[in-house]
Amino acid sequence: MDFSRINIREWIETQSRIDIEANRITARDGATVRAYAGQINLRAADDPLNPIVKGEARIYLERGSRIDASGVKNVVLPMSRNVLKVELRGNELRDSPLQRNRVLHGKTVSVDLRDVDANGRIPIADVSGALARIERNIDERSTEGGSINLTSSGDVITRPGSVLDVSGGSVRYRAGYIKTTQLVSGQQLFDIGKADPDRHYDGILSDIVKLHPKWGITDTWARYGVGLKRYEPGYVEGKAGGSLRIAAFNAMLDGLLKGQAVDGKLQRPPATRTPGSQLVIDLNQGSLQGHQDVRLTRIARPGQIGEDDAFPTQLTKSGEAVAQTLNLDTTALRRSGFSQLHI
């Protein structure tokens, strides 16, 4: 994969995908299945045409094996990468009628991307078109955690020392300068990323503006290279975690689960926190064939089971042999970084 390849943001980049299907799937010591920010699907089935019928299929991860759909971490970008240049025409100013035929019309302005909302807007303009044309290489496009789906018509077993990783990646911005467009209104300056669309602006800082009140005329001359810039220290921006889904009739999960997501120093307010990863454990797959109990416990001893051993059972009070309880270590779950757990 060419990690230097540049992609325009609005183009759809096909997500990397790995599909492995068999009756028995074993990941040996030292084996790695990896698709950064991609989708990894392992499906073990007794009957491929009817995969939810309970049988003897198995997914078995040995100690030292790794399934990895995590996001790329520590992608380095310059601080100037946070600045978006956009030419403001009628379309961009369509929801700001007071600005449509004034000093901003036809001007190319610089906007701090961190002031742009989820819909590609700042209060005074719609900059979604320019936002969609940002060039990003494949590393930056692969920072969010992907998905791992382990589906078995029998059981899923992860041994201690195996790893399932859907953790989020991160971008590291180098220290540098930010220069954004400043609007002049009277004796005040307003950054364009926060400027009120209902205020009258006399001009743009770096322009020379001459007013002719008698004739109602304003003359403007551009003086390039003049403006305000500010220095910002480097920082890390975390990206969203992914999802891990385990669907089987029996499970023994003693391996390491990784769903961490980094919160940078600018992501501490609740509204800007990095979305965490999701863990889903489905032990019935929409049928009545799954009867394994699940217990959350502070101390979960790893089970003992070989690659070809039968899944261990335990007796109920009535003497019926049922699958051994799935014990989930609560301390390990907290450390895993998953913010959502569905059982």
Side-chain angles (χ1 to χ4, degrees):
M1 184 178 290
D2 181 2
F3 284 96
S4 65
R5 184 162 62 91
I6 300 296
N7 294 274
I8 302 300
R9 182 171 180 161
E10 64 183 354
W11 294 354
I12 298 176
E13 179 78 14
T14 301
Q15 185 184 39
S16 298
R17 175 170 172 163
I18 298 173
D19 292 301
I20 301 175
E21 298 187 18
N23 176 253
R24 295 247 171 167
I25 300 173
T26 300
R28 301 290 186 192
D29 183 5
T32 298
V33 180
R34 175 176 287 133
Y36 286 123
Q39 183 181 141
I40 302 176
N41 302 309
L42 274 62
R43 187 174 78 157
D46 293 271
D47 181 358
L49 299 179
N50 196 2
I52 64 170
V53 174
K54 187 175 182 180
E56 303 299 324
R58 172 169 289 178
I59 297 174
Y60 189 90
L61 307 186
E62 289 185 354
R63 177 186 297 273
S65 63
R66 187 181 194 93
I67 311 295
D68 187 354
S70 63
V72 178
K73 295 172 176 58
N74 291 316
V75 176
V76 179
L77 295 175
M79 187 62 66
S80 59
R81 180 64 172 69
N82 281 310
V83 178
L84 173 68
K85 291 187 179 295
V86 55
E87 183 179 6
L88 300 181
R89 295 285 183 178
N91 182 60
E92 287 75 19
L93 297 171
R94 63 185 181 277
D95 295 325
S96 299
L98 191 61
Q99 313 301 328
R100 206 172 293 160
N101 297 307
R102 294 184 178 272
V103 296
L104 285 175
H105 188 268
K107 293 296 180 69
T108 297
V109 298
S110 298
V111 178
D112 190 329
L113 281 171
R114 294 164 294 186
D115 291 332
V116 179
D117 67 19
N119 296 315
R121 299 185 59 87
I122 54 176
I124 210 168
D126 181 347
V127 298
S128 58
L131 187 67
R133 293 189 292 274
I134 293 176
E135 294 182 341
R136 301 191 300 165
N137 66 27
I138 197 67
D139 273 1
E140 189 182 354
R141 296 176 69 89
S142 302
T143 51
E144 293 188 357
S147 64
I148 296 175
N149 300 295
L150 306 182
T151 305
S152 173
S153 60
D155 51 48
V156 171
I157 298 165
T158 66
R159 303 300 296 138
S162 63
V163 178
L164 293 168
D165 190 352
V166 293
S167 58
S170 59
V171 173
R172 181 164 60 86
Y173 289 95
R174 295 194 299 262
Y177 288 90
I178 289 284
K179 185 178 180 180
T180 55
T181 298
Q182 307 293 312
L183 304 182
V184 181
S185 179
Q187 301 298 314
Q188 296 179 285
L189 292 178
F190 299 89
D191 188 276
I192 192 165
K194 302 178 176 66
D196 184 350
D198 297 323
R199 178 183 287 272
H200 173 78
Y201 298 100
D202 303 315
I204 297 174
L205 185 67
S206 79
D207 286 352
I208 300 174
V209 180
K210 185 174 182 180
L211 304 176
H212 304 277
K214 181 176 180 180
W215 310 108
I217 297 174
T218 301
D219 290 329
T220 304
W221 298 270
R223 182 171 55 168
Y224 298 103
V226 177
L228 296 177
K229 62 181 180 180
R230 65 182 186 273
Y231 175 83
E232 289 199 17
Y235 67 93
V236 171
E237 180 181 287
K239 298 297 182 178
S243 66
L244 170 59
R245 182 176 184 270
I246 298 170
F249 293 109
N250 299 319
M252 184 181 293
L253 307 178
D254 295 325
L256 179 63
L257 308 180
K258 299 188 68 174
Q260 293 86 355
V262 175
D263 282 320
K265 68 178 183 180
L266 301 182
Q267 297 173 295
R268 291 171 183 169
T272 61
R273 297 287 296 271
T274 307
S277 299
Q278 180 184 72
L279 172 60
V280 178
I281 301 174
D282 179 359
L283 296 176
N284 61 40
Q285 303 190 71
S287 73
L288 299 177
Q289 300 176 78
H291 300 285
Q292 187 180 22
D293 290 334
V294 179
R295 178 170 57 203
L296 298 175
T297 177
R298 294 180 58 187
I299 302 176
R301 298 182 183 276
Q304 300 298 321
I305 183 171
E307 177 185 351
D308 297 317
D309 294 344
F311 197 88
T313 60
Q314 61 192 23
L315 295 177
T316 65
K317 292 181 179 180
S318 63
E320 180 187 3
V322 297
Q324 189 178 86
T325 298
L326 170 60
N327 292 308
L328 297 176
D329 188 323
T330 54
T331 300
L333 281 176
R334 282 195 296 270
R335 292 173 179 169
S336 70
F338 285 92
S339 61
Q340 300 178 59
L341 172 62
H342 302 274
I343 300 176

